[in-house]
Amino acid sequence: MRKRKMYLSVEDIAELFGLSVSFAYRVVERMNADLESKNYYVILGRVPTRYVELPYLRH
């Protein structure tokens, strides 16, 4: 059984969305800025898996 990651790295985001790694860094930076504005603790270069999945689960 494979354990689900709590955080996605820049490389994971690049692969998931089909982006270059350099552009994925910008995307992760924006995601972290959004989380920080909502008073969440952020880890540079990583994004919580739930934050990435939530917008897609609502549709």
Side-chain angles (χ1 to χ4, degrees):
M1 183 161 90
R2 186 176 167 174
K3 192 173 181 180
R4 190 179 121 167
K5 292 182 177 184
M6 287 185 64
Y7 290 90
L8 297 175
S9 67
V10 171
E11 290 80 12
D12 294 330
I13 296 293
E15 184 180 328
L16 185 64
F17 293 108
L19 305 171
S20 67
V21 174
S22 60
F23 188 72
Y25 272 103
R26 284 192 236 162
V27 171
V28 169
E29 187 177 355
R30 288 183 183 182
M31 289 178 174
N32 278 336
D34 181 48
L35 286 167
E36 199 168 32
S37 73
K38 296 175 181 175
N39 293 323
Y40 283 93
Y41 178 78
V42 298
I43 299 173
L44 297 178
R46 300 207 180 267
V47 179
T49 303
R50 283 185 145 185
Y51 179 77
V52 176
E53 292 175 344
L54 282 176
Y56 300 104
L57 294 176
R58 291 182 191 150
H59 296 290

